[in-house]
Amino acid sequence: MSAPILRSLAELRALRAAWRAEGARVAVVPTMGALHDGHLSLAAAAKAAADRVIVTIFVNPRQFNDPGDLARYPRTEARDAEKLAPLGVDAIYVPAPDQVYPPGFATSVSVSGVSEGLCGAHRPGHFDGVATVVTKLLLQTGADCAFFGEKDFQQLMVVRRLVRDLDIPVEIVGCPTVREPDGLALSSRNALLPGDVRTTAPALYQALVEARRALEAGTGAGAALATARAAILAAGFAEVEYLELRAAADLAPLEAPDVPARLLVAAHLGGVRLIDNIEVAAR
Ligand code: PAF
């Protein structure tokens, strides 16, 4: 059965209050819709961890630095609701824009440190938009736990930081990236890839895996990353925005994986910006 779709904060609050009275543990899975198996894995993990699950669908204008990117972001609400139905999600919150940003809205949540560099350097204002909307969604839903994908690793770090800094009483759960059989990380943006470049897209993940192998075998980060960057461009990507080795705990730049690390990349293919990242063990 399809979960009820709530469009106002008042409806959400009423449902949340009823669940609180039952003593239910409530999970939230924040999304911007265009749901794929990655999102569904978050909803399934939430369902396993909580009594009640809310999936939010809100294409947040404040996190798009490019108006064209916002305009063409896929919007597929009816299909999203169908995909969630078999998972037993309890509510889908699809707020009208003024339920998130009422007239006169003048507040922004800005997280320094982990939001700088990587995507933060290339998408001005993006993480302020993410931090602001996630703060609102956590407070509006009053969730006990919230589920985010590791595919957006820097976003996950920003969310963990803001929750700690603002004393929001919610457990943040990071879930592994879900991939196509050829390795391409699932993303709502994959649907925008022109058909003739789809077979090139997995080269991004393959380059990360090869760079990890080299790093774990003792190659320095400079050489390993230069080889990976060249492989991504040789495969047909138009641009590598960044490709970096960072500490998994705080995203500090690393020359070598002397601590648990993460390789993170953003690159452009067929007019679409793809991001990915993988874990690198400390050596
Ligand atoms: O990862 C996303 O889909 C979005 O950045 C999020 C967390 C739903 C905030 O709009």
Side-chain angles (χ1 to χ4, degrees):
M1 204 180 65
S2 257
I5 294 184
L6 315 177
R7 297 194 191 273
S8 72
L9 180 55
E11 289 171 279
L12 177 67
R13 288 226 164 112
L15 194 62
R16 184 68 187 85
W19 290 346
R20 186 169 285 129
E22 287 169 6
R25 178 171 166 83
V26 175
V28 64
V29 182
T31 83
M32 296 202 300
L35 302 184
H36 51 63
D37 285 352
H39 296 113
L40 301 185
S41 77
L42 299 180
K47 193 71 197 168
D51 305 307
R52 300 287 190 177
V53 176
I54 305 167
V55 173
T56 69
I57 298 179
F58 181 65
V59 182
N60 174 32
R62 289 183 177 240
Q63 70 187 76
F64 286 82
N65 51 309
D66 170 1
D69 195 22
L70 171 62
R72 68 191 187 131
Y73 200 85
R75 289 158 171 89
T76 57
E77 183 185 310
R79 231 177 313 142
D80 292 345
E82 275 169 31
K83 288 182 183 174
L84 291 171
L87 296 177
V89 161
D90 299 278
I92 306 175
Y93 180 48
V94 190
D98 68 350
Q99 301 297 290
V100 180
Y101 301 121
F105 187 84
T107 300
S108 177
V109 179
S110 189
V111 178
S112 60
V114 289
S115 66
E116 290 158 17
L118 305 169
C119 288
H122 295 271
R123 302 188 67 189
H126 170 69
F127 284 121
D128 288 359
V130 169
T132 303
V133 82
V134 169
T135 301
K136 289 222 61 163
L137 293 170
L138 294 176
L139 295 176
Q140 289 191 342
T141 58
D144 300 296
C145 48
F147 289 71
F148 294 85
E150 287 184 347
K151 201 206 107 216
D152 296 291
F153 194 77
Q154 191 177 12
Q155 169 174 280
L156 176 60
M157 303 295 278
V158 168
V159 171
R160 287 194 192 285
R161 186 75 256 166
L162 79 85
V163 161
R164 274 200 297 269
D165 289 354
L166 299 180
D167 303 318
I168 301 178
V170 62
E171 179 195 355
I172 301 301
V173 184
C175 298
T177 302
V178 178
R179 299 182 181 278
E180 299 280 10
D182 62 12
L184 177 64
L186 295 193
S187 163
S188 307
R189 290 172 194 275
N190 294 353
L192 304 173
L193 281 172
D196 58 336
V197 298
R198 172 60 189 84
T199 52
T200 303
L204 198 60
Y205 176 61
Q206 285 155 14
L208 290 181
V209 171
E210 183 50 35
R212 169 169 64 190
R213 195 202 54 72
L215 286 164
E216 290 178 352
T219 306
L225 297 186
T227 304
R229 182 179 281 268
I232 294 165
L233 293 173
F237 278 75
E239 183 197 344
V240 178
E241 221 173 60
Y242 65 77
L243 172 59
E244 294 189 37
L245 182 69
R246 298 282 186 118
D250 59 4
L251 293 183
L254 294 177
E255 289 302 320
D258 342 289
V259 292
R262 212 85 196 179
L263 263 175
L264 304 105
V265 68
H268 292 255
L269 176 68
V272 180
R273 182 176 183 275
L274 298 177
I275 61 170
D276 202 350
N277 71 87
I278 58 173
E279 195 176 5
V280 179
R283 68 178 192 219

Short mmCIF file of all heavy atoms in Angstrom, two decimals, residues 30-33 39 56 58 60 63 73 126 129-130 133-134 137 148 152 155 159, ligand 1:
data_model
loop_
_atom_site.label_atom_id
_atom_site.label_comp_id
_atom_site.label_asym_id
_atom_site.label_seq_id
_atom_site.Cartn_x
_atom_site.Cartn_y
_atom_site.Cartn_z
N PRO A 30 16.07 11.80 4.03
CA PRO A 30 15.89 13.00 3.21
C PRO A 30 16.34 12.73 1.76
O PRO A 30 17.41 12.16 1.54
CB PRO A 30 16.82 14.03 3.86
CG PRO A 30 17.18 13.47 5.20
CD PRO A 30 17.15 11.98 5.02
N THR A 31 15.51 13.11 0.79
CA THR A 31 15.87 12.94 -0.63
C THR A 31 15.35 14.14 -1.42
O THR A 31 14.54 14.92 -0.93
CB THR A 31 15.24 11.66 -1.26
OG1 THR A 31 13.89 11.95 -1.67
CG2 THR A 31 15.25 10.48 -0.32
N MET A 32 15.82 14.19 -2.67
CA MET A 32 15.26 15.17 -3.59
C MET A 32 14.45 14.45 -4.67
O MET A 32 14.23 14.98 -5.75
CB MET A 32 16.37 16.01 -4.21
CG MET A 32 17.09 16.85 -3.15
SD MET A 32 17.95 18.29 -3.81
CE MET A 32 19.08 17.52 -4.94
N GLY A 33 14.03 13.22 -4.37
CA GLY A 33 13.22 12.46 -5.32
C GLY A 33 14.06 11.85 -6.42
O GLY A 33 15.26 11.68 -6.26
N HIS A 39 18.56 5.15 -2.99
CA HIS A 39 17.60 5.70 -2.02
C HIS A 39 16.80 4.58 -1.36
O HIS A 39 16.51 4.63 -0.16
CB HIS A 39 16.59 6.62 -2.72
CG HIS A 39 17.19 7.84 -3.35
ND1 HIS A 39 17.23 8.04 -4.71
CD2 HIS A 39 17.78 8.93 -2.80
CE1 HIS A 39 17.79 9.20 -4.97
NE2 HIS A 39 18.14 9.76 -3.83
N THR A 56 11.49 12.05 2.85
CA THR A 56 11.16 13.40 2.40
C THR A 56 11.60 13.56 0.95
O THR A 56 12.63 13.02 0.53
CB THR A 56 11.83 14.49 3.27
OG1 THR A 56 13.23 14.49 3.04
CG2 THR A 56 11.57 14.25 4.75
N PHE A 58 12.11 16.74 -1.55
CA PHE A 58 12.08 18.20 -1.71
C PHE A 58 13.29 18.60 -2.55
O PHE A 58 14.44 18.39 -2.12
CB PHE A 58 12.12 18.89 -0.33
CG PHE A 58 12.08 20.39 -0.41
CD1 PHE A 58 10.95 21.05 -0.90
CD2 PHE A 58 13.16 21.15 -0.01
CE1 PHE A 58 10.92 22.44 -0.99
CE2 PHE A 58 13.14 22.54 -0.08
CZ PHE A 58 12.01 23.19 -0.58
N ASN A 60 15.57 21.03 -3.32
CA ASN A 60 15.92 22.21 -2.52
C ASN A 60 16.61 23.27 -3.37
O ASN A 60 17.80 23.13 -3.68
CB ASN A 60 16.85 21.74 -1.38
CG ASN A 60 17.39 22.90 -0.57
OD1 ASN A 60 16.73 23.91 -0.41
ND2 ASN A 60 18.62 22.73 -0.07
N GLN A 63 20.34 24.66 -2.67
CA GLN A 63 21.62 23.96 -2.80
C GLN A 63 22.08 23.86 -4.24
O GLN A 63 23.08 23.20 -4.54
CB GLN A 63 21.54 22.58 -2.14
CG GLN A 63 20.67 21.56 -2.85
CD GLN A 63 20.54 20.30 -2.02
OE1 GLN A 63 19.81 20.26 -1.03
NE2 GLN A 63 21.26 19.25 -2.38
N TYR A 73 16.64 19.15 -13.00
CA TYR A 73 16.70 18.06 -12.01
C TYR A 73 15.43 17.22 -12.16
O TYR A 73 14.32 17.76 -12.19
CB TYR A 73 16.81 18.62 -10.59
CG TYR A 73 17.34 17.56 -9.66
CD1 TYR A 73 18.71 17.37 -9.52
CD2 TYR A 73 16.48 16.71 -8.98
CE1 TYR A 73 19.20 16.36 -8.71
CE2 TYR A 73 16.97 15.71 -8.17
CZ TYR A 73 18.34 15.53 -8.04
OH TYR A 73 18.82 14.53 -7.26
N HIS A 126 26.56 25.68 -2.09
CA HIS A 126 25.88 24.38 -2.10
C HIS A 126 25.70 23.81 -0.69
O HIS A 126 24.58 23.44 -0.30
CB HIS A 126 26.66 23.40 -2.98
CG HIS A 126 26.19 21.98 -2.87
ND1 HIS A 126 24.97 21.57 -3.35
CD2 HIS A 126 26.78 20.87 -2.33
CE1 HIS A 126 24.81 20.28 -3.11
NE2 HIS A 126 25.90 19.83 -2.48
N GLY A 129 23.24 25.51 1.51
CA GLY A 129 21.88 25.10 1.14
C GLY A 129 21.53 23.74 1.70
O GLY A 129 20.43 23.52 2.23
N VAL A 130 22.48 22.81 1.60
CA VAL A 130 22.25 21.46 2.14
C VAL A 130 22.09 21.52 3.66
O VAL A 130 21.15 20.95 4.23
CB VAL A 130 23.42 20.50 1.76
CG1 VAL A 130 23.31 19.20 2.53
CG2 VAL A 130 23.44 20.25 0.25
N VAL A 133 18.70 23.07 4.69
CA VAL A 133 17.50 22.25 4.49
C VAL A 133 17.53 20.99 5.36
O VAL A 133 16.50 20.58 5.89
CB VAL A 133 17.29 21.91 2.99
CG1 VAL A 133 18.13 20.71 2.54
CG2 VAL A 133 15.82 21.64 2.72
N VAL A 134 18.72 20.41 5.55
CA VAL A 134 18.78 19.21 6.39
C VAL A 134 18.43 19.57 7.84
O VAL A 134 17.69 18.85 8.50
CB VAL A 134 20.16 18.52 6.28
CG1 VAL A 134 20.32 17.44 7.34
CG2 VAL A 134 20.34 17.90 4.88
N LEU A 137 14.71 19.84 7.92
CA LEU A 137 14.01 18.55 7.80
C LEU A 137 14.17 17.71 9.08
O LEU A 137 13.24 17.02 9.51
CB LEU A 137 14.50 17.79 6.57
CG LEU A 137 14.11 18.44 5.23
CD1 LEU A 137 14.83 17.77 4.07
CD2 LEU A 137 12.60 18.43 5.01
N PHE A 148 21.67 8.68 5.34
CA PHE A 148 22.29 9.37 4.21
C PHE A 148 23.25 8.41 3.52
O PHE A 148 23.89 7.58 4.18
CB PHE A 148 23.09 10.59 4.70
CG PHE A 148 22.24 11.68 5.30
CD1 PHE A 148 21.87 11.61 6.64
CD2 PHE A 148 21.78 12.73 4.53
CE1 PHE A 148 21.07 12.61 7.20
CE2 PHE A 148 20.98 13.72 5.09
CZ PHE A 148 20.62 13.66 6.42
N ASP A 152 27.52 10.67 -1.32
CA ASP A 152 27.74 12.10 -1.06
C ASP A 152 28.53 12.20 0.25
O ASP A 152 27.98 12.62 1.28
CB ASP A 152 26.40 12.83 -0.99
CG ASP A 152 25.67 12.77 -2.31
OD1 ASP A 152 26.11 13.41 -3.26
OD2 ASP A 152 24.65 12.05 -2.40
N GLN A 155 28.91 15.58 1.96
CA GLN A 155 27.61 15.97 2.52
C GLN A 155 27.37 15.26 3.87
O GLN A 155 26.90 15.86 4.84
CB GLN A 155 26.51 15.62 1.54
CG GLN A 155 25.10 15.72 2.11
CD GLN A 155 24.03 15.50 1.06
OE1 GLN A 155 23.72 16.39 0.30
NE2 GLN A 155 23.46 14.31 1.01
N VAL A 159 26.70 17.01 7.47
CA VAL A 159 25.51 16.72 8.29
C VAL A 159 25.94 16.25 9.69
O VAL A 159 25.39 16.70 10.71
CB VAL A 159 24.61 15.68 7.60
CG1 VAL A 159 23.50 15.21 8.53
CG2 VAL A 159 24.01 16.27 6.31
O1 PAF B 1 21.43 14.13 -1.01
C1 PAF B 1 20.38 14.74 -1.31
O2 PAF B 1 19.52 14.23 -2.02
C2 PAF B 1 20.19 16.16 -0.81
O3 PAF B 1 21.38 16.87 -0.78
C3 PAF B 1 19.47 16.22 0.55
C4 PAF B 1 20.30 15.57 1.65
C5 PAF B 1 18.12 15.54 0.45
C6 PAF B 1 19.23 17.67 0.96
O4 PAF B 1 18.44 18.34 0.02
#
